[in-house]
Amino acid sequence: MSTYTVINPATASPVKDISMADLTQTDAVIAKAHKAFETWRKVSPGDRAKLLRSFARIVDEHIEELALLEVLNSGHTIGNARWEAGNVRDVLNYYSAAPERLFGRQIPVPNGIDITFKEPLGVIGVIVPWNFPMPIAGWGFAPALAAGNTVVLKPAELTPMTAIRLGELAKDAGIPDGVFNVIPGKGSIVGDRFVTNPLVRKIVFTGSTQVGKSIMKGCADQVKRVTLELGGKSANIIFADADIEKAAAGAPGAVFDNAGQDCCARSRILIQKSAYDKFMELFEVAVKKFRVESPDLDTAEMGPLISKGQLDRVQEYMPDQSKIAFTGSKPTGDGFWFAPTVLMADSTNDRAYREEIFGPIVSVMAFDDEEDAIKLANDSEYGLSGSIWSRDIGRAVRVSRAVEAGNLSVNSNSSVRYWTPFGGYKQSGLGRELGPDALDAFTETKNVFFDTQN
Ligand code: NAD
């Protein structure tokens, strides 16, 4: 068995050694989850609901502990980390209402009765990235468990600590042995085994588009079900008729939150030419005020990047000829710090403008009119998120219908609510998480005809 040493991104110092599962151990846990499925699927809907509510309650009692673990392991600001732990509680509570409401249909047919049932799939493999270890885990395991499946969950190598703790809390809540299993390990070993082991009936993957594509290919061998939440390069579209003060004040948080390591980051700002100067002036003030500091401070708005590797990758997007409009601040000393950076894009072919950086860099581009804005916004292989700022309601409706992305906000940058659907267009993903429809992704529809003539 190998180990991985977790590093505190704010100080670059080691935190803890974590054991990484090998193939044999992974198969053993999958087999255990498969066995547990037989009894978990038969737990009555009311009892399954109670167990999920009890899990939510125990998470709620440990919000501060989980948040501090995330600050230590991932460098998230304490404010964000508390929200993230609270999101796990909320998602569990939301889906705890599902077992008693997994309705089928009764469809009129001649000579009998036709009923559909929502049947669980079996073992669900949830593969989680390092950028939001707690919420992304919860978006997979909560609806999966609610629908009667069992779960094997692999956290990212870099950020296993909160997932391991959530696994322990599930046991404390009375979730039966084998139903919810956390397996820290490498993507190429544990994650890949989820894809190749036939006892895993579905993969829920969040991560890079590149790995997502290889998982989709691997799943094809067994026609394994798959949900993918992948990258993004979302546009923050600001029309001259918008409340420019508000749009500028919100723009730093929309891209620099979580140090830009957010698939929904609005990392392309499209601003109408006539409002360009006014916006940039206000935006500069807002970026310079954005507090980049030790993530355990209540005032912190941005912490460090996750790792030295990520810092190096982000730095590659800053060639010498980059046109830097202005930057924010960063602390000195150890840790993987990168100051918020605003670039003026020369062309839509600039690497920093086109590619997902997953760091605190935003590219600004001016546009002429509505048609131009839509064309620029859609000129991307991604389609996850985005914002539209305008006081013209007709325009806001037209543009939000025309932008090819799964999660948009108008006069706001907020894209995630646990009770509304989340997911991407184009190469940003496949399927939807959260909200009322996510349960469909964790069930098969079975149709049964009962002949009443015999
Ligand atoms: P990654 O794709 O390298 O890893 C994601 C997870 O997949 C990790 O747990 C990793 O161990 C595992 N993995 C890696 N190789 C694997 C393989 N061959 N088989 C199975 N599993 C494997 O991504 P990352 O670096 O952890 O995360 C950053 C990326 O995730 C960014 O590109 C970002 O856009 C994307 N992301 C998307 C969303 C979304 O909801 N759309 C959310 C968060 C992150």
Side-chain angles (χ1 to χ4, degrees):
M1 189 191 285
S2 62
T3 58
Y4 172 78
T5 305
V6 168
I7 305 289
N8 179 344
T11 60
S13 49
V15 173
K16 194 176 181 181
D17 287 343
I18 304 284
S19 302
M20 307 278 268
D22 60 20
L23 269 187
T24 314
Q25 289 163 326
T26 307
D27 279 342
V29 181
I30 292 171
K32 194 170 156 194
H34 178 67
K35 191 152 186 292
F37 174 59
E38 283 318 310
T39 41
W40 179 244
R41 69 180 305 180
K42 289 181 195 141
V43 171
S44 74
D47 286 344
R48 216 183 306 138
K50 267 189 214 148
L51 282 167
L52 291 173
R53 282 197 285 273
S54 149
F55 190 3
R57 200 164 43 246
I58 291 205
V59 169
D60 188 52
E61 286 161 10
H62 292 80
I63 297 279
E64 198 60 18
E65 181 199 331
L66 287 163
L68 289 171
L69 265 185
E70 206 63 280
V71 173
L72 191 66
N73 188 165
S74 310
H76 289 196
T77 62
I78 182 70
N80 277 11
R82 285 185 186 122
W83 180 90
E84 290 159 20
N87 181 259
V88 175
R89 170 205 56 211
D90 293 344
V91 173
L92 277 166
N93 270 329
Y94 179 73
Y95 287 109
S96 75
E100 296 130 321
R101 295 170 178 79
L102 268 182
F103 305 128
R105 286 180 168 161
Q106 180 266 311
I107 300 170
V109 289
N111 305 323
I113 300 171
D114 193 282
I115 306 180
T116 65
F117 297 91
K118 299 271 187 194
E119 305 276 15
L121 300 168
V123 181
I124 309 287
V126 182
I127 303 175
V128 181
W130 46 257
N131 64 333
F132 286 109
M134 281 191 279
I136 292 174
W139 301 0
F141 71 68
L145 295 175
N149 304 281
T150 55
V151 169
V152 287
L153 183 144
K154 193 199 88 61
E157 288 88 324
L158 298 174
T159 56
M161 289 177 69
T162 47
I164 293 171
R165 189 68 188 118
L166 285 169
E168 293 165 357
L169 295 178
K171 286 214 167 63
D172 295 348
I175 303 285
D177 204 32
V179 169
F180 176 49
N181 310 275
V182 176
I183 320 179
K186 285 191 170 171
S188 55
I189 298 174
V190 179
D192 185 62
R193 194 62 188 135
F194 287 4
V195 176
T196 56
N197 187 321
L199 294 181
V200 178
R201 290 300 168 87
K202 173 175 178 139
I203 300 289
V204 181
F205 172 81
T206 305
S208 60
T209 298
Q210 189 195 354
V211 174
K213 284 178 186 177
S214 78
I215 285 181
M216 195 175 175
K217 275 190 199 137
C219 285
D221 262 354
Q222 298 165 22
V223 196
K224 191 170 288 196
R225 276 73 179 130
V226 63
T227 299
L228 302 173
E229 298 290 358
L230 309 173
K233 191 74 194 178
S234 299
N236 188 357
I237 310 170
I238 303 160
F239 288 94
D241 66 21
D243 181 338
I244 302 291
E245 279 82 8
K246 207 170 158 206
V255 57
F256 303 141
D257 186 61
N258 206 31
Q261 302 165 123
D262 180 343
C263 48
C264 289
R266 276 72 167 164
S267 51
R268 292 184 297 152
I269 293 180
L270 307 179
I271 170 85
Q272 194 157 20
K273 269 187 189 137
S274 54
Y276 187 91
D277 291 341
K278 180 177 178 194
F279 172 79
M280 287 302 264
E281 213 173 287
L282 293 164
F283 186 37
E284 180 165 5
V285 175
V287 170
K288 297 233 186 275
K289 268 202 328 217
F290 204 67
R291 295 184 72 104
V292 184
E293 56 191 1
S294 182
D296 54 3
L297 296 173
D298 275 326
T299 47
E301 291 176 287
M302 186 181 123
L305 290 167
I306 186 69
S307 63
K308 172 76 171 64
Q310 188 64 8
L311 182 60
D312 293 343
R313 270 192 293 280
V314 171
Q315 258 151 1
E316 276 174 28
Y317 282 93
M318 299 284 302
D320 292 342
Q321 67 273 25
S322 299
K323 272 201 195 159
I324 300 175
F326 42 85
T327 63
S329 63
K330 64 167 181 174
T332 50
D334 292 336
F336 313 123
W337 298 95
F338 193 95
T341 299
V342 179
L343 300 180
M344 287 176 291
D346 270 336
S347 111
T348 56
N349 292 323
D350 285 1
R351 262 189 80 210
Y353 177 86
R354 286 212 84 77
E355 295 178 15
E356 179 177 54
I357 300 175
F358 235 50
I361 300 181
V362 66
S363 294
V364 183
M365 170 81 77
F367 67 85
D368 293 315
D369 55 19
E370 194 175 310
E371 194 187 341
D372 193 23
I374 293 167
K375 198 163 141 242
L376 281 168
N378 288 340
D379 179 19
S380 169
E381 70 199 25
Y382 295 117
L384 188 57
S385 187
S387 303
I388 296 140
W389 295 82
S390 171
R391 284 192 175 106
D392 177 338
I393 190 163
R395 163 173 285 157
V397 172
R398 283 191 304 275
V399 178
S400 56
R401 295 299 302 271
V403 172
E404 296 160 350
N407 301 84
L408 295 169
S409 41
V410 174
N411 296 326
S412 153
N413 296 309
S414 126
S415 34
V416 174
R417 280 171 200 80
Y418 58 81
W419 63 101
T420 60
F422 179 81
Y425 275 39
K426 299 192 276 189
Q427 294 194 32
S428 282
L430 187 73
R432 292 293 178 272
E433 300 192 283
L434 299 177
D437 303 331
L439 292 158
D440 288 343
F442 294 103
T443 50
E444 291 282 11
T445 299
K446 180 182 283 173
N447 190 71
V448 183
F449 169 69
F450 297 85
D451 190 330
T452 50
Q453 303 307 302
N454 296 309

